[in-house]
Amino acid sequence: AAGMFLRLLSDVRWRATNPKWRRMTCSQRSTSSTAEPHPVSLPAQAQVVICGGGIMGTSVAYHLSKMGWKDIVLLEQGRLAAGTTRFCAGIVSTARHISIELKMADYSNKLYQQLEQETGVKTGYVKTGSISLAQTQDRLISLKRIASSLNVMGIPCEIITPKQVAQLHPLINIHDLVGAMYVPEDALVSSANVSLALATAASRNGVQIHERTSVSHVSVQKGRVTGVETDRGQIQCQYFVNCAGQWAYELGHSGEESVNIPLHACEHFYLLTHPLKEPLASNLPTIVDPDGRIYIRNWQGGILSGGFEKNPKPLFTEGRNQLEIQNLQEDWDHFEPLLSALLRRMPDLEALQIMQLVNCPESFTPDMRCILGESPAVRGYFVLAGMNSAGISYGGGAGKYLAEWMVNGYPSENVWPLDLKRFGTLQSSRTFLRHRVMEVMPLMCDLKVPRWDFQTGRQLRTSPLYDRLDAQGARWMEKHGFERVKYFVPPGKDLLDLDQSKTFYKPDWFDIVGSEVKCCKEAVCVIDMSSFTKFEISSTGDQALESLQYLFSNDLDVPVGHVVHTGMLNEKGGYENDCSIARLSKRSFFMISPTDQQVHCWAWLKNRLPDDSNLTMEDVTWKYTALNLIGPRAVDVLSELSYAPITPEHFPSLFCKEMSVGYANGIRVMSITHTGEPGFMLYIPIEYALHVYNEVMNMGQKYGIRNAGYYALRSLRIEKFFAFWGQDLDAFTTPMECGREFQVKLEKGMQFVGQEALLEQKQNGVYKRFTMFILEDHDTDMDLWPWWGEPIFRNGRYVGKTTSSAYSYTLERHVCLGFVQHFDEKTGEELVVTTDFINQGEYEIDIAGQRFQAKAKLYPFSSLFTHRRRKDEVELSGYQRE
C-alpha cells in the first residue's frame, strides 16, 4: 500500500538516470553531514532567479528557456515537486468560468500531452475526459454557460443526459441528476512527473536547478530587484520569480521592500482506495459532482476522491511551516460528509478497502483566482502562486503567460483578472485571509449565479455615509475592498427574501432598480461613488503637463477648469486605464479612475513619471467622498445649495470648479455623471461629506430626490453605449476599436504612448469593433438573462463575446455590449472589421446554449427615444445616431 501511495505522488527515480542532473544537484541531496563532498556552488549572478520547484516554478523556467532566456537559476528549498505539486490529484480540467483560466487550462492540456515525447520523462498523461454532474436546473444552466464558452474556443464539449452519464461511467448513481457536461479532451497526469519533465527540458536548455537551497531575502535597490540571499550564498539578478506556493506570502514579506501576495493555506483531503475486484479502466472519465462537493478519478484500478467541504480548516496562519509538505494528520470525522457524498454517488464502493486519507495544504486567494504578474512595489519581482487547487490545470498556461510578460513586457492575452495588482495591501491581513479562505474553499463548489458577493472581510473600506445609507435600506457589494451600494430596498419590502434571491433569470431587484433608473431620468438621484480612485498630480513648472501629455492619449493642455476623458495607453495602443482628468490649475491635475485601478494605475504612472522632486503624485482616494447627482433636476438642487449660476452658459459640460455647497467650502463640482445623463459629480472633503449629503437630500425633496445604486448606474451607462475599463476595455482594446477616436489627439504636437499603434490602426483598419446589441426575441420574464461572456454569432458564425449586459428600462429590452471580429471562413485568418460588416450581419447572442436574435448598433440611441414605449411600438431599426 505504501509503495502504491508513493507511486501516486511520483517520488520518481528519474534523476538517478540523468548524469547531467546528478552533477548539477549532487550538493543538494542532503542538508546533513551526509552531503556529498564536492558540492556545486551557486552562481554569483544570473538574469533570473526562480524560487520554487513545483509545477509553477518549473513551468516558468521551461517557458523562459524556450523563449531564449538561458541565464536562469531555479532554487528549491527541499526537493523538486515535493510541495503541493507532490500531492496534487492530477486532474487537468478545462471547464472554467473565466476566459483566461479556460485558455490557460487548454494550453496546459496540450502541453502535457506532448511533454513525455519531448523530454523522455513519463508524465502519466491519460486522456480520460471529464463529466460534471448537475443535480439542479440552476447547476445545469451554469454548466451550459461553460459549455457555450468551450465550444466556441474549439474545445469539444456537450451537455448530456443522466442516461448518457451511466453509459460513460457505469458505477455512477444517476437517480438525482438532471443532466451533465462531458468534456472528452480532459485528462489525468502525474503532477510531480509533469513538474520533473518541465525541469528536465529547462535543464537541457541551460537552466541551473539547485535543490536544498532556501531563499531568505530579496535585495532591492531604487525599487528594483538586485539579488537574492540564500542559505548557500548570494546571487545577483535582474528578475526574481516567487513561485513558492503556500510559502509565497512569507517570502513576499522577507525582502527589503514588502511584496503583498494575498494567499492562505487550507487543509485539503482526498481518499485513496485499493483496486476494485474488477479494476477500473485507466481511461474512465473523471467525475466532478459540485452539488455533492466531490471529485472522483480512477487511480491504479481504484479510486481517488476528494472535495471541498463547507467547513474548511485553514492552517499555518501564524506563518512559516515545514520545508517539504508532509501528509498532515488524518481527520475522518471532518472528511465524513465528503465520504457520504462519494458513497451516494458510487454505492458499489461500500465494500471497497480504503488505503489512505491524504491531507495536504492547498493555497487559496481572496477571490478564487490565481495570482500572476509583476509586483507594483518592486520592478523585476514577479509572482505566480495561489492556484486554488487548480495548479496542474493552470500550470502550463500560467507559466507561459508569465514568461511572455517577462521577456516581451506583456503577455499574449489579457490577464488582468489574475494580475497581482488587482489586490491592495488591505487584502494582506492574515486575519482577513484566514476568514476569507474559509469562505472561498466551499465556494469552489457552490453555485455562482451572476452578481454574487463575498460575505467575509466586509466593511473594510467604507464611505463616511455608510451608516446613513445602510439605515435607508442600502444593499451592498464590494469592489477592491470598498463597500458600494447595489440598490436601496424600499420600506416594507421583504429584505431577507431579497438578499437570498439568486437566479440566472429575472432577479427580484428588477423593479427596485427600475424605479431608481426612472428617477435618474425624470427627477434627481444621488449615488455614492466614493470608491473611485483619485490621484492629484502637480509640479512647480510644466513637468506635470509634459509628463501627462506623453502618458495619455487626449490633449490635456486645456484651459483651467476643463475635464478631459482620456485613455492611459500601452505601446500597443491598449487601455491600461480609462479616466477623467480635471485641470485644477496650470500645474495641477485631478485624475479620476475606476475603483480597481488604485494599485495598477499608481504603479503604471510611478514607473513612467520622471524621477523629479518638482513633480508629485498623491493618492487622494481617501480624502474625498464622491456623490453623483444624476438627473434633469440636479441643476436645480445644486444651484439652490450653492447660490451660484449652474446654467450651461456658466457651467458647460465637462467643466470643473470649486464651490460652496451648503456651509461647506472647497467642493470640487464636475459636470459629468459617467452615465450620459445630465448631472454633476461632487468631490467632497470627507469631513464635510455628511453635511453635504444631508443638505442635498433635504433640498432635493421638493424635486423628488432619492438614493440610487450601482445597478441603476450600470443600466444607464450600458444603454448609452458607455464602455467601462475592466469590463469592456482592457490592455488589448484600443480607442479605435471602441469608437473613441474623439478621445485621442493624434496631432497634439507631441508624441504619446501608443501613438504609433493607433496611427497604424487608423491607416489599416481594426480587427475587432465594440458593438451594442439589443435582444429582439427575448422574454425578460421567462428567458435566461445575459450577463457577460455570452458568445456572439453573425450569420451563424462565432464572431466574439459580450463584455457587459444590462436591462434597458428605457428601451424595455436587454442591451449587450461586446466585440465583433471577422474571421476568414476558409483560413480562419483575422480580417479588418468594417462598418458595413457590422451593419449587414444577422446576429444572435448565445445564452447557455439558447440563441436569441439581436440588433447590432455602432452608436448609442438618439435622445428622441428616451421616454418609455411599449415593445410593440418600438422599431429598433428606426433609431438614429446621436
Side-chain angles (χ1 to χ4, degrees), residues 382-618:
F382 285 82
V383 179
L384 183 55
M387 290 297 130
N388 300 283
S389 203
I392 195 64
S393 291
Y394 298 154
K400 170 178 176 275
Y401 291 138
L402 194 76
E404 289 173 345
W405 198 331
M406 294 172 69
V407 174
N408 302 326
Y410 49 86
S412 57
E413 295 282 349
N414 172 36
V415 297
W416 170 248
L418 315 176
D419 195 327
L420 172 62
K421 292 184 282 293
R422 73 188 187 272
F423 295 120
T425 54
L426 55 98
Q427 282 99 352
S428 287
S429 150
R430 288 305 264 178
T431 307
F432 166 83
L433 288 170
R434 181 181 177 88
H435 291 173
R436 175 56 67 86
V437 297
M438 290 173 73
E439 179 184 12
V440 159
M441 194 168 164
L443 275 169
M444 302 296 292
C445 288
D446 286 354
L447 186 67
K448 287 175 275 294
V449 299
R451 313 271 177 95
W452 58 274
D453 302 295
F454 289 107
Q455 302 303 309
T456 53
R458 298 294 297 271
Q459 298 180 26
L460 195 56
R461 301 173 72 198
T462 60
S463 155
L465 305 177
Y466 179 87
D467 288 340
R468 187 75 204 280
L469 301 177
D470 196 56
Q472 295 178 76
R475 285 294 162 268
W476 301 92
M477 59 182 178
E478 168 254 330
K479 186 75 172 278
H480 202 63
F482 214 113
E483 295 295 329
R484 314 201 305 182
V485 181
K486 296 189 276 193
Y487 50 80
F488 286 82
V489 179
K493 193 86 175 171
D494 186 343
L495 305 187
L496 189 65
D497 183 49
L498 201 62
D499 286 343
Q500 293 178 346
S501 167
K502 295 178 179 179
T503 179
F504 289 100
Y505 291 88
K506 179 180 175 181
D508 287 353
W509 45 256
F510 178 81
D511 291 331
I512 294 172
V513 173
S515 61
E516 291 179 5
V517 168
K518 187 174 190 288
C519 189
C520 286
K521 288 183 170 291
E522 297 176 1
V524 57
C525 278
V526 179
I527 302 179
D528 184 346
M529 298 178 67
S530 302
S531 67
F532 270 19
T533 297
K534 299 173 276 288
F535 295 164
E536 283 182 6
I537 301 155
S538 55
S539 59
T540 56
D542 292 333
Q543 300 95 327
L545 176 63
E546 289 171 2
S547 300
L548 296 181
Q549 285 283 65
Y550 175 66
L551 292 172
F552 292 87
S553 59
N554 211 339
D555 189 358
L556 296 174
D557 193 4
V558 294
V560 171
H562 282 247
V563 182
V564 177
H565 284 311
T566 182
M568 183 175 83
L569 309 181
N570 54 38
E571 285 74 11
K572 304 186 302 301
Y575 278 98
E576 292 295 333
N577 186 10
D578 178 44
C579 55
S580 303
I581 299 180
R583 191 170 193 179
L584 302 179
S585 71
K586 284 203 167 188
R587 296 167 180 173
S588 179
F589 297 84
F590 185 52
M591 176 179 170
I592 302 109
S593 307
T595 303
D596 49 4
Q597 274 280 1
Q598 190 166 15
V599 177
H600 172 70
C601 181
W602 179 269
W604 181 270
L605 290 175
K606 204 73 178 166
N607 291 334
R608 286 161 180 78
L609 287 171
D611 188 9
D612 185 342
S613 59
N614 296 314
L615 176 66
T616 60
M617 179 171 68
E618 183 184 3

Side-chain angles (χ1 to χ4, degrees), residues 4 169-171 273-284 297-303 346 349 352:
M4 291 175 71
H169 201 306
L171 294 177
T273 76
H274 288 284
L276 279 72
K277 284 181 181 174
E278 284 189 32
L280 293 178
S282 62
N283 62 349
L284 202 65
R297 58 154 285 192
N298 165 65
W299 177 63
Q300 298 188 356
I303 289 292
M346 296 180 73
L349 299 186
L352 197 61

Side-chain angles (χ1 to χ4, degrees), residues 41 45 84 88 111 121 205 207 229 291 296 305 312 333 388 439 447 491 529 585 609 613 703 713 733 746 757 767 847:
S41 60
Q45 60 185 47
T84 300
C88 179
L111 172 68
V121 177
N205 282 333
V207 175
E229 295 275 359
D291 296 310
I296 309 163
S305 178
D333 289 340
N388 300 283
E439 179 184 12
L447 186 67
M529 298 178 67
S585 71
L609 287 171
S613 59
Y703 300 108
L713 186 87
T733 308
L746 289 170
Y767 291 94
I847 307 175

Side-chain angles (χ1 to χ4, degrees), residues 15 21 24-29 31 42 74-82 196 209-214 231-232 324:
R15 284 168 286 192
W21 186 272
M24 193 166 56
T25 61
C26 63
S27 66
Q28 290 93 49
R29 291 293 170 215
T31 54
L42 296 180
L74 187 151
L75 306 178
E76 164 55 47
Q77 64 182 351
R79 293 168 301 155
L80 280 180
L196 297 172
I209 300 177
H210 296 266
E211 296 179 298
R212 305 291 185 195
T213 307
S214 295
D231 56 355
R232 296 179 52 222
E324 291 182 11

Side-chain angles (χ1 to χ4, degrees), residues 33 37 52 533 567 816:
S33 58
T533 297
C816 302

Side-chain angles (χ1 to χ4, degrees), residues 40-109:
V40 176
S41 60
L42 296 180
Q45 60 185 47
Q47 184 181 11
V48 183
V49 172
I50 301 168
C51 178
I55 185 70
M56 295 302 147
T58 54
S59 178
V60 172
Y62 171 86
H63 286 96
L64 283 174
S65 66
K66 282 273 186 182
M67 295 181 75
W69 284 20
K70 307 296 184 186
D71 188 11
I72 300 167
V73 175
L74 187 151
L75 306 178
E76 164 55 47
Q77 64 182 351
R79 293 168 301 155
L80 280 180
T84 300
T85 300
R86 179 183 169 215
F87 285 89
C88 179
I91 299 168
V92 183
S93 168
T94 51
R96 306 289 164 183
H97 287 277
I98 298 172
S99 176
I100 186 65
E101 293 181 341
L102 192 159
K103 288 175 181 176
M104 287 197 306
D106 185 43
Y107 173 83
S108 298
N109 195 348

